[in-house]
Amino acid sequence: MKKIEHTYNIKEMIKYPELFSRYSKDGDTYLTIETTGLSPERHRIISISVGTISDDIIGITTFFSDNKDDELTIIEKGLDSLENSGRVITWNGDSFDFRFLSRRGEEYGKKIPAITSYDLRRILSPLKRLLPDDSFSLYELLEKMDITDSSIPDGRTLVTLYKTYIETGADRYSAPIEKHSIYKLTGIMNLMCLQNCLKLNKASPVIEDISATNEALNVKGTTDLFFPIEITVSLPGIRINFSKNSFSGSFTTYDGRIRMYFPDPSSYVRLKADSSLIPKELSKSMSRSDYESVTKENCFSLVKIPREKKQLENYIRSLEKM
């Protein structure tokens, strides 16, 4: 086994250090593992990397397997590094890292101790609906943050490199694996900043520009909430994009009117006679054949375009909460 240690200034590796500091806590430990495959029954652990933050310094320790018989040592050293940790922060740790560690530990009669898991993938899962292309892997989200490194090997290449390293012992084959782990670990740290996007419903948009075409009303402006990646609030006829401290929106127009969506579709029904939306309470005295239920996507009425920017800003705020 090789023990590899690195230190970095936080500003070298974290794109938004001030934002990161809002979500990190004393005692946080970051964890990622590399394996020869996805099945803990058929594959084994290549390395365990552990990261901590002290003041403005990131410390990363990697326990790297340099032979086929040191997996237990890798597991023991990795777990020892988690002692006295507060939260153990991972990306998909609940479904992969901890499950893999536990299963491989069982092979040697080693029980994994209780860990306070903070699986960032699970924490950030509400953002999936706000990503236009529904891309939600660690690598895709880092790319959205403009944090990329084309020299980082993919999973299949990583396994090939490791097998070649075991055969040759040449460090040029193990170095890319180590680099991959550091990229993942500091990537998890960077993705901590995306928790800011979960506060979307608290953002206060200020419209600075309004323009109109025959088909749409377009707005641009700023917000008091910072978004490290672009996220989108989208409903039929409405699309609003937030990125950093700005936003842009487009409202499809229908003869000078826009769609006004209402929260809680279960509280409304639509009349079949004229397609108007009414509170469900008013339908109690009507025949069930006179109205139909509505969904989030069609729980709207057509209203005149607001004349005041404040009215439109308030409507955008209401959409953020839906």
Side-chain angles (χ1 to χ4, degrees):
M1 183 206 75
K2 293 194 297 184
K3 181 180 179 182
I4 308 163
E5 297 180 293
H6 291 280
T7 58
Y8 304 94
N9 186 285
I10 196 168
K11 293 181 179 179
E12 291 180 74
M13 309 302 282
I14 306 300
K15 187 165 186 176
Y16 303 112
E18 292 183 4
L19 189 57
F20 170 79
S21 66
R22 297 181 194 175
Y23 298 102
S24 64
K25 295 182 179 181
D26 290 342
D28 282 350
T29 301
Y30 296 81
L31 173 74
T32 189
I33 68 174
E34 305 296 349
T35 67
T36 58
L38 300 178
S39 169
E41 285 74 28
R42 295 184 292 109
H43 302 110
R44 67 184 186 88
I45 295 173
I46 292 174
S47 66
I48 297 176
S49 294
V50 178
T52 56
I53 311 289
S54 179
D55 295 325
D56 290 331
I57 301 299
I58 298 172
I60 296 178
T61 302
T62 298
F63 302 99
F64 188 85
S65 171
D66 57 4
N67 64 71
K68 296 180 179 179
D69 301 314
D70 62 359
E71 185 181 29
L72 175 58
T73 303
I74 298 290
I75 294 172
E76 289 176 333
K77 293 293 184 182
L79 293 176
D80 286 347
S81 296
L82 300 180
E83 284 188 7
N84 304 316
S85 295
R87 303 180 300 181
V88 180
I89 301 172
T90 63
W91 181 265
N92 203 31
D94 290 347
S95 297
F96 183 74
D97 299 71
F98 295 133
R99 181 178 66 85
F100 207 103
L101 273 169
S102 179
R103 181 66 187 85
R104 294 310 302 162
E106 289 175 3
E107 291 289 320
Y108 307 100
K110 181 76 176 180
K111 186 176 181 180
I112 306 302
I115 290 171
T116 303
S117 170
Y118 195 83
D119 185 341
L120 202 53
R121 188 180 192 279
R122 176 176 53 81
I123 300 296
L124 294 176
S125 60
L127 293 183
K128 291 178 71 175
R129 66 182 181 85
L130 299 172
L131 299 175
D133 52 4
D134 200 35
S135 52
F136 202 65
S137 74
L138 180 147
Y139 305 103
E140 289 168 326
L141 289 174
L142 289 176
E143 187 173 350
K144 291 179 186 297
M145 291 182 72
D146 294 322
I147 301 173
T148 57
D149 188 340
S150 59
S151 68
I152 300 297
D154 59 24
R156 182 172 296 181
T157 302
L158 184 147
V159 173
T160 301
L161 287 168
Y162 180 69
K163 289 179 179 178
T164 307
Y165 168 74
I166 291 297
E167 292 174 0
T168 66
D171 288 342
R172 68 177 181 273
Y173 297 113
S174 62
I177 304 173
E178 178 188 346
K179 187 176 182 181
H180 182 272
S181 295
I182 293 171
Y183 178 76
K184 281 174 60 181
L185 207 59
T186 56
I188 294 170
M189 296 176 186
N190 275 288
L191 293 188
M192 287 282 284
C193 299
L194 299 191
Q195 292 176 88
N196 219 47
C197 297
L198 296 175
K199 297 179 179 180
L200 170 65
N201 61 352
K202 298 181 179 179
S204 296
V206 177
I207 296 174
E208 297 182 338
D209 180 69
I210 299 179
S211 62
T213 67
N214 291 333
E215 299 177 344
L217 176 72
N218 302 303
V219 298
K220 292 182 180 179
T222 61
T223 73
D224 59 342
L225 185 67
F226 185 84
F227 298 89
I229 60 173
E230 182 176 312
I231 61 176
T232 302
V233 174
S234 181
L235 286 165
I238 297 177
R239 186 180 181 88
I240 306 171
N241 299 316
F242 296 86
S243 180
K244 298 185 170 60
N245 284 118
S246 64
F247 77 95
S248 61
S250 178
F251 300 81
T252 301
T253 54
Y254 309 84
D255 295 326
R257 297 180 294 174
I258 62 173
R259 292 184 174 188
M260 177 68 72
Y261 282 89
F262 298 91
D264 190 15
S266 63
S267 297
Y268 299 89
V269 296
R270 191 176 300 281
L271 297 180
K272 293 182 179 179
D274 59 5
S275 295
S276 60
L277 198 69
I278 65 169
K280 193 172 185 179
E281 285 291 318
L282 298 181
S283 69
K284 289 184 176 180
S285 61
M286 302 171 62
S287 168
R288 182 64 181 85
S289 62
D290 291 335
Y291 62 88
E292 59 189 5
S293 299
V294 294
T295 64
K296 177 182 177 181
E297 285 69 27
N298 64 9
C299 187
F300 67 86
S301 291
L302 290 176
V303 300
K304 289 183 178 180
I305 296 173
R307 292 184 178 182
E308 301 293 330
K309 285 198 302 184
K310 200 69 177 177
Q311 291 177 288
L312 202 51
E313 288 169 355
N314 288 337
Y315 181 38
I316 292 173
R317 289 189 186 95
S318 72
L319 291 171
E320 293 168 4
K321 294 176 172 63
M322 293 177 64

PDB file of all heavy atoms in Angstrom, residues 257-273:
ATOM      1  N   ARG A 257     -51.955  38.292 -23.739  1.00  0.00           N
ATOM      2  CA  ARG A 257     -52.092  37.707 -22.408  1.00  0.00           C
ATOM      3  C   ARG A 257     -51.012  36.645 -22.185  1.00  0.00           C
ATOM      4  O   ARG A 257     -50.434  36.133 -23.133  1.00  0.00           O
ATOM      5  CB  ARG A 257     -53.485  37.093 -22.233  1.00  0.00           C
ATOM      6  CG  ARG A 257     -54.620  38.102 -22.311  1.00  0.00           C
ATOM      7  CD  ARG A 257     -55.981  37.457 -22.121  1.00  0.00           C
ATOM      8  NE  ARG A 257     -56.313  36.543 -23.217  1.00  0.00           N
ATOM      9  CZ  ARG A 257     -57.397  35.773 -23.233  1.00  0.00           C
ATOM     10  NH1 ARG A 257     -58.240  35.784 -22.193  1.00  0.00           N
ATOM     11  NH2 ARG A 257     -57.640  34.972 -24.254  1.00  0.00           N
ATOM     12  N   ILE A 258     -50.730  36.346 -20.934  1.00  0.00           N
ATOM     13  CA  ILE A 258     -49.774  35.296 -20.566  1.00  0.00           C
ATOM     14  C   ILE A 258     -50.457  34.323 -19.621  1.00  0.00           C
ATOM     15  O   ILE A 258     -51.518  34.613 -19.059  1.00  0.00           O
ATOM     16  CB  ILE A 258     -48.506  35.866 -19.890  1.00  0.00           C
ATOM     17  CG1 ILE A 258     -48.867  36.571 -18.580  1.00  0.00           C
ATOM     18  CG2 ILE A 258     -47.757  36.798 -20.847  1.00  0.00           C
ATOM     19  CD1 ILE A 258     -47.656  37.005 -17.770  1.00  0.00           C
ATOM     20  N   ARG A 259     -49.842  33.187 -19.446  1.00  0.00           N
ATOM     21  CA  ARG A 259     -50.391  32.183 -18.536  1.00  0.00           C
ATOM     22  C   ARG A 259     -50.053  32.531 -17.094  1.00  0.00           C
ATOM     23  O   ARG A 259     -48.891  32.751 -16.756  1.00  0.00           O
ATOM     24  CB  ARG A 259     -49.847  30.794 -18.875  1.00  0.00           C
ATOM     25  CG  ARG A 259     -50.352  30.261 -20.213  1.00  0.00           C
ATOM     26  CD  ARG A 259     -49.870  28.849 -20.459  1.00  0.00           C
ATOM     27  NE  ARG A 259     -50.470  28.291 -21.667  1.00  0.00           N
ATOM     28  CZ  ARG A 259     -50.353  27.026 -22.055  1.00  0.00           C
ATOM     29  NH1 ARG A 259     -49.635  26.174 -21.320  1.00  0.00           N
ATOM     30  NH2 ARG A 259     -50.926  26.599 -23.165  1.00  0.00           N
ATOM     31  N   MET A 260     -51.060  32.577 -16.275  1.00  0.00           N
ATOM     32  CA  MET A 260     -50.886  32.800 -14.842  1.00  0.00           C
ATOM     33  C   MET A 260     -51.126  31.470 -14.135  1.00  0.00           C
ATOM     34  O   MET A 260     -52.269  30.994 -14.033  1.00  0.00           O
ATOM     35  CB  MET A 260     -51.860  33.853 -14.331  1.00  0.00           C
ATOM     36  CG  MET A 260     -51.798  34.083 -12.825  1.00  0.00           C
ATOM     37  SD  MET A 260     -50.242  34.854 -12.274  1.00  0.00           S
ATOM     38  CE  MET A 260     -50.473  36.521 -12.915  1.00  0.00           C
ATOM     39  N   TYR A 261     -50.029  30.840 -13.664  1.00  0.00           N
ATOM     40  CA  TYR A 261     -50.133  29.536 -13.001  1.00  0.00           C
ATOM     41  C   TYR A 261     -50.464  29.710 -11.522  1.00  0.00           C
ATOM     42  O   TYR A 261     -50.057  30.685 -10.883  1.00  0.00           O
ATOM     43  CB  TYR A 261     -48.822  28.765 -13.148  1.00  0.00           C
ATOM     44  CG  TYR A 261     -48.655  28.143 -14.510  1.00  0.00           C
ATOM     45  CD1 TYR A 261     -48.048  28.847 -15.543  1.00  0.00           C
ATOM     46  CD2 TYR A 261     -49.115  26.858 -14.770  1.00  0.00           C
ATOM     47  CE1 TYR A 261     -47.902  28.276 -16.806  1.00  0.00           C
ATOM     48  CE2 TYR A 261     -48.975  26.281 -16.023  1.00  0.00           C
ATOM     49  CZ  TYR A 261     -48.364  26.996 -17.032  1.00  0.00           C
ATOM     50  OH  TYR A 261     -48.238  26.433 -18.278  1.00  0.00           O
ATOM     51  N   PHE A 262     -51.208  28.737 -11.007  1.00  0.00           N
ATOM     52  CA  PHE A 262     -51.585  28.752  -9.607  1.00  0.00           C
ATOM     53  C   PHE A 262     -50.985  27.534  -8.900  1.00  0.00           C
ATOM     54  O   PHE A 262     -50.947  26.429  -9.471  1.00  0.00           O
ATOM     55  CB  PHE A 262     -53.107  28.721  -9.460  1.00  0.00           C
ATOM     56  CG  PHE A 262     -53.793  29.913 -10.055  1.00  0.00           C
ATOM     57  CD1 PHE A 262     -54.227  29.900 -11.370  1.00  0.00           C
ATOM     58  CD2 PHE A 262     -53.991  31.053  -9.300  1.00  0.00           C
ATOM     59  CE1 PHE A 262     -54.853  31.002 -11.926  1.00  0.00           C
ATOM     60  CE2 PHE A 262     -54.614  32.169  -9.841  1.00  0.00           C
ATOM     61  CZ  PHE A 262     -55.051  32.143 -11.159  1.00  0.00           C
ATOM     62  N   PRO A 263     -50.519  27.717  -7.672  1.00  0.00           N
ATOM     63  CA  PRO A 263     -50.003  26.564  -6.916  1.00  0.00           C
ATOM     64  C   PRO A 263     -51.142  25.658  -6.483  1.00  0.00           C
ATOM     65  O   PRO A 263     -52.312  26.054  -6.522  1.00  0.00           O
ATOM     66  CB  PRO A 263     -49.316  27.225  -5.713  1.00  0.00           C
ATOM     67  CG  PRO A 263     -50.053  28.518  -5.531  1.00  0.00           C
ATOM     68  CD  PRO A 263     -50.440  28.972  -6.910  1.00  0.00           C
ATOM     69  N   ASP A 264     -50.798  24.467  -6.069  1.00  0.00           N
ATOM     70  CA  ASP A 264     -51.757  23.492  -5.530  1.00  0.00           C
ATOM     71  C   ASP A 264     -52.881  23.188  -6.515  1.00  0.00           C
ATOM     72  O   ASP A 264     -54.039  23.591  -6.312  1.00  0.00           O
ATOM     73  CB  ASP A 264     -52.345  24.006  -4.212  1.00  0.00           C
ATOM     74  CG  ASP A 264     -53.163  22.937  -3.489  1.00  0.00           C
ATOM     75  OD1 ASP A 264     -53.034  21.748  -3.862  1.00  0.00           O
ATOM     76  OD2 ASP A 264     -53.928  23.295  -2.588  1.00  0.00           O
ATOM     77  N   PRO A 265     -52.580  22.481  -7.612  1.00  0.00           N
ATOM     78  CA  PRO A 265     -53.598  22.140  -8.615  1.00  0.00           C
ATOM     79  C   PRO A 265     -54.789  21.391  -8.039  1.00  0.00           C
ATOM     80  O   PRO A 265     -55.895  21.459  -8.598  1.00  0.00           O
ATOM     81  CB  PRO A 265     -52.827  21.249  -9.596  1.00  0.00           C
ATOM     82  CG  PRO A 265     -51.411  21.611  -9.411  1.00  0.00           C
ATOM     83  CD  PRO A 265     -51.257  21.968  -7.966  1.00  0.00           C
ATOM     84  N   SER A 266     -54.612  20.705  -6.927  1.00  0.00           N
ATOM     85  CA  SER A 266     -55.728  19.953  -6.333  1.00  0.00           C
ATOM     86  C   SER A 266     -56.827  20.873  -5.812  1.00  0.00           C
ATOM     87  O   SER A 266     -57.924  20.413  -5.483  1.00  0.00           O
ATOM     88  CB  SER A 266     -55.228  19.056  -5.205  1.00  0.00           C
ATOM     89  OG  SER A 266     -54.673  19.832  -4.150  1.00  0.00           O
ATOM     90  N   SER A 267     -56.549  22.167  -5.734  1.00  0.00           N
ATOM     91  CA  SER A 267     -57.540  23.121  -5.227  1.00  0.00           C
ATOM     92  C   SER A 267     -58.371  23.759  -6.341  1.00  0.00           C
ATOM     93  O   SER A 267     -59.223  24.617  -6.068  1.00  0.00           O
ATOM     94  CB  SER A 267     -56.853  24.238  -4.433  1.00  0.00           C
ATOM     95  OG  SER A 267     -56.199  23.722  -3.296  1.00  0.00           O
ATOM     96  N   TYR A 268     -58.120  23.332  -7.591  1.00  0.00           N
ATOM     97  CA  TYR A 268     -58.820  23.940  -8.723  1.00  0.00           C
ATOM     98  C   TYR A 268     -59.378  22.865  -9.658  1.00  0.00           C
ATOM     99  O   TYR A 268     -58.909  21.729  -9.673  1.00  0.00           O
ATOM    100  CB  TYR A 268     -57.881  24.857  -9.519  1.00  0.00           C
ATOM    101  CG  TYR A 268     -57.320  26.004  -8.723  1.00  0.00           C
ATOM    102  CD1 TYR A 268     -56.131  25.872  -7.999  1.00  0.00           C
ATOM    103  CD2 TYR A 268     -57.991  27.218  -8.676  1.00  0.00           C
ATOM    104  CE1 TYR A 268     -55.622  26.924  -7.261  1.00  0.00           C
ATOM    105  CE2 TYR A 268     -57.488  28.288  -7.940  1.00  0.00           C
ATOM    106  CZ  TYR A 268     -56.311  28.132  -7.234  1.00  0.00           C
ATOM    107  OH  TYR A 268     -55.818  29.175  -6.486  1.00  0.00           O
ATOM    108  N   VAL A 269     -60.364  23.281 -10.451  1.00  0.00           N
ATOM    109  CA  VAL A 269     -60.880  22.451 -11.545  1.00  0.00           C
ATOM    110  C   VAL A 269     -61.089  23.368 -12.750  1.00  0.00           C
ATOM    111  O   VAL A 269     -61.156  24.589 -12.617  1.00  0.00           O
ATOM    112  CB  VAL A 269     -62.209  21.745 -11.175  1.00  0.00           C
ATOM    113  CG1 VAL A 269     -62.007  20.771 -10.030  1.00  0.00           C
ATOM    114  CG2 VAL A 269     -63.301  22.767 -10.851  1.00  0.00           C
ATOM    115  N   ARG A 270     -61.217  22.762 -13.919  1.00  0.00           N
ATOM    116  CA  ARG A 270     -61.460  23.539 -15.132  1.00  0.00           C
ATOM    117  C   ARG A 270     -62.834  23.186 -15.691  1.00  0.00           C
ATOM    118  O   ARG A 270     -63.173  22.006 -15.862  1.00  0.00           O
ATOM    119  CB  ARG A 270     -60.375  23.267 -16.180  1.00  0.00           C
ATOM    120  CG  ARG A 270     -60.435  24.238 -17.358  1.00  0.00           C
ATOM    121  CD  ARG A 270     -59.281  23.998 -18.330  1.00  0.00           C
ATOM    122  NE  ARG A 270     -57.988  24.176 -17.709  1.00  0.00           N
ATOM    123  CZ  ARG A 270     -57.429  25.377 -17.479  1.00  0.00           C
ATOM    124  NH1 ARG A 270     -58.080  26.480 -17.807  1.00  0.00           N
ATOM    125  NH2 ARG A 270     -56.236  25.463 -16.929  1.00  0.00           N
ATOM    126  N   LEU A 271     -63.609  24.243 -15.980  1.00  0.00           N
ATOM    127  CA  LEU A 271     -64.934  24.042 -16.546  1.00  0.00           C
ATOM    128  C   LEU A 271     -64.825  23.637 -18.010  1.00  0.00           C
ATOM    129  O   LEU A 271     -64.048  24.234 -18.777  1.00  0.00           O
ATOM    130  CB  LEU A 271     -65.762  25.329 -16.436  1.00  0.00           C
ATOM    131  CG  LEU A 271     -66.052  25.835 -15.025  1.00  0.00           C
ATOM    132  CD1 LEU A 271     -66.888  27.114 -15.090  1.00  0.00           C
ATOM    133  CD2 LEU A 271     -66.783  24.774 -14.205  1.00  0.00           C
ATOM    134  N   LYS A 272     -65.567  22.639 -18.398  1.00  0.00           N
ATOM    135  CA  LYS A 272     -65.514  22.168 -19.783  1.00  0.00           C
ATOM    136  C   LYS A 272     -66.208  23.137 -20.739  1.00  0.00           C
ATOM    137  O   LYS A 272     -65.838  23.225 -21.908  1.00  0.00           O
ATOM    138  CB  LYS A 272     -66.156  20.788 -19.881  1.00  0.00           C
ATOM    139  CG  LYS A 272     -65.368  19.696 -19.159  1.00  0.00           C
ATOM    140  CD  LYS A 272     -66.026  18.341 -19.327  1.00  0.00           C
ATOM    141  CE  LYS A 272     -65.222  17.247 -18.633  1.00  0.00           C
ATOM    142  NZ  LYS A 272     -65.873  15.909 -18.774  1.00  0.00           N
ATOM    143  N   ALA A 273     -67.166  23.886 -20.242  1.00  0.00           N
ATOM    144  CA  ALA A 273     -67.943  24.769 -21.117  1.00  0.00           C
ATOM    145  C   ALA A 273     -67.102  25.881 -21.728  1.00  0.00           C
ATOM    146  O   ALA A 273     -67.165  26.135 -22.938  1.00  0.00           O
ATOM    147  CB  ALA A 273     -69.115  25.362 -20.337  1.00  0.00           C
TER     148      ALA A 273
END
